[in-house]
């Protein structure tokens, strides 16, 4: 990258745009609440408005986008999305933003964008094969091989949140089914498990705070969630053979101690050298990865529109 590029992060609660320069340096940033209940047009208008403020300082190339939902790699449209963005499924994000910005637009899933960012300038830098787990309100994942996100047949590879997890048969995953890893190792999972274990109804963030403050029930919930995540990641290392596993997201720091212990205990000997690392880019990971997406050959990552 020789000129600044605009990267956009469209999430269920906030939307951000950043001007990203050489070396993944964030030169300028804009952020606003996502008007999710206003429908796809309002969400796209917000994203375009934030990006438009930055385009004058960017080079003439494409804009990159990391968005919630599963992205069709051929078209940049949304194949599937949860109700955090009502009506988002079917939205032709690449086409709609290209029309609003008069620029080519490249689109991928937000977790895939975060993985690209971490591999370019974060915890995965210098490593060819990386598995990223994003632990936030839900649980997502992405696989990066030599700078390319492995999308699978439908652009949805890496959805580790839907792996079966022991002890979660009473916990409902965001997909609507029970017994999945996301149902325990996520912000919503922490909240649900805490309530089932006798705690009062609070957010996952509050469960984490109470665990740190010495609440025994919250500590048990956090440790169980971290252990489930770590064991699952160890199994995925044996399946995917990455150079490293990176854990990102708002709940990552809470789960990492227990996850690391379980990961090390479960990791097969042949992969004992594969580290489990905390992500390094924080809230900038998606916009930085989206900027990386914009500068890569279009067939590498996601859908493109001109």
């Amino acid at each position: 990258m020789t000129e600044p590029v605009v990267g956009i992060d469209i999430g269920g609660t906030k939307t951000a745009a950043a001007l990203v320069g050489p070396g993944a340096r964030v030169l300028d940033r804009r952020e606003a609440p996502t008007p999710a209940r206003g429908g796809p047009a309002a969400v796209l208008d917000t994203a375009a408005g934030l990006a438009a403020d930055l385009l004058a300082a960017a080079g003439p190339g494409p804009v990159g986008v990391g968005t919630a939902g599963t992205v069709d790699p051929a078209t940049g449209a949304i194949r599937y999305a949860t109700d955090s963005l009502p009506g988002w499924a079917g939205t032709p994000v690449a086409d709609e933003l290209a029309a609003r910005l008069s620029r080519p637009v490249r689109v991928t899933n937000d977790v895939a964008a975060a993985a690209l960012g971490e591999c370019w300038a974060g915890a995965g830098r210098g490593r060819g094969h990386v598995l990223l787990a994003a632990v936030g309100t839900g649980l997502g994942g992405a696989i990066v091989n030599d700078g390319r996100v492995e999308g699978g047949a439908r652009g949805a590879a890496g959805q580790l949140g839907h792996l079966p997890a022991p002890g979660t048969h009473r916990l409902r995953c965001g997909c609507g089914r029970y017994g999945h890893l996301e149902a325990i190792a996520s912000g919503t999972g922490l909240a649900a498990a805490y309530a089932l274990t006798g705690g009062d109804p609070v957010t996952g963030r509050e469960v984490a705070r109470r665990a740190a403050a010495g609440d025994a029930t919250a500590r048990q919930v956090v440790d169980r969630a971290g252990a489930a995540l770590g064991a699952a990641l160890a199994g995925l290392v044996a399946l995917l053979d990455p150079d490293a596993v990176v854990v990102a997201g708002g709940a990552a720091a809470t789960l990492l101690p227990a996850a690391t212990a379980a990961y090390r205990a479960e990791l097969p000997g042949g992969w004992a050298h594969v580290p489990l690392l905390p992500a390094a880019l924080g809230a900038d990971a998606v916009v930085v990865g989206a900027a990386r997406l914009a500068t890569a050959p279009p067939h590498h990552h996601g859908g493109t529109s001109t």
Side-chain angles (χ1 to χ4, degrees):
M1 178 192 294
T2 58
E3 295 182 286
V5 173
V6 173
I8 301 173
D9 173 6
I10 301 176
T13 58
K14 72 169 179 65
T15 297
L19 184 69
V20 181
R25 183 182 171 202
V26 175
L27 305 174
D28 199 355
R29 198 176 197 276
R30 302 282 191 276
E31 187 174 308
T34 301
R37 302 300 156 185
V43 173
L44 292 164
D45 287 344
T46 296
L50 295 171
D53 286 345
L54 304 171
L55 281 178
V63 170
V65 179
T67 175
T70 301
V71 178
D72 185 324
T75 67
I78 304 300
R79 285 187 181 273
Y80 168 80
T82 67
D83 58 7
S84 65
L85 284 174
W88 198 234
T91 302
V93 175
D95 289 343
E96 291 286 346
L97 284 178
R100 285 167 169 80
L101 298 173
S102 300
R103 292 281 186 107
V105 174
R106 295 177 179 170
V107 183
T108 193
N109 167 262
D110 52 0
V111 177
L116 288 173
E118 289 290 340
C119 288
W120 180 25
R125 185 174 184 176
R127 300 178 188 272
H129 304 270
V130 173
L131 169 65
L132 180 131
V135 193
T137 303
L139 176 63
I143 305 156
V144 179
N145 285 335
D146 292 327
R148 303 192 305 175
V149 173
E150 296 290 343
R154 284 162 292 277
Q159 296 298 315
L160 57 90
H162 305 296
L163 292 173
T168 60
H169 62 282
R170 298 172 62 199
L171 297 172
R172 186 175 185 271
C173 179
C175 72
R177 299 191 177 187
Y178 291 78
H180 292 181
L181 186 61
E182 181 180 293
I184 186 170
S186 65
T188 53
L190 291 176
Y194 186 68
L196 278 176
T197 314
D200 50 328
V202 295
T203 64
R205 188 182 300 273
E206 176 61 14
V207 174
R209 189 199 68 77
R210 292 184 183 188
D215 181 317
T217 300
R219 184 75 262 161
Q220 179 186 31
V221 166
V222 166
D223 286 348
R224 189 186 305 145
L229 177 64
L233 292 175
L236 287 171
V237 166
L239 176 68
L240 300 172
D241 194 27
D243 293 321
V245 180
V246 175
V247 182
T254 298
L255 299 187
L256 262 174
T260 300
Y263 176 81
R264 289 174 177 162
E266 297 290 340
L267 199 63
W271 291 272
H273 62 287
V274 179
L276 182 65
L277 305 170
L281 297 182
D284 287 335
V286 176
V287 291
V288 168
R292 186 63 164 173
L293 172 72
T295 63
H299 66 279
H300 276 201
H301 306 292
T304 305
S305 180
T306 55

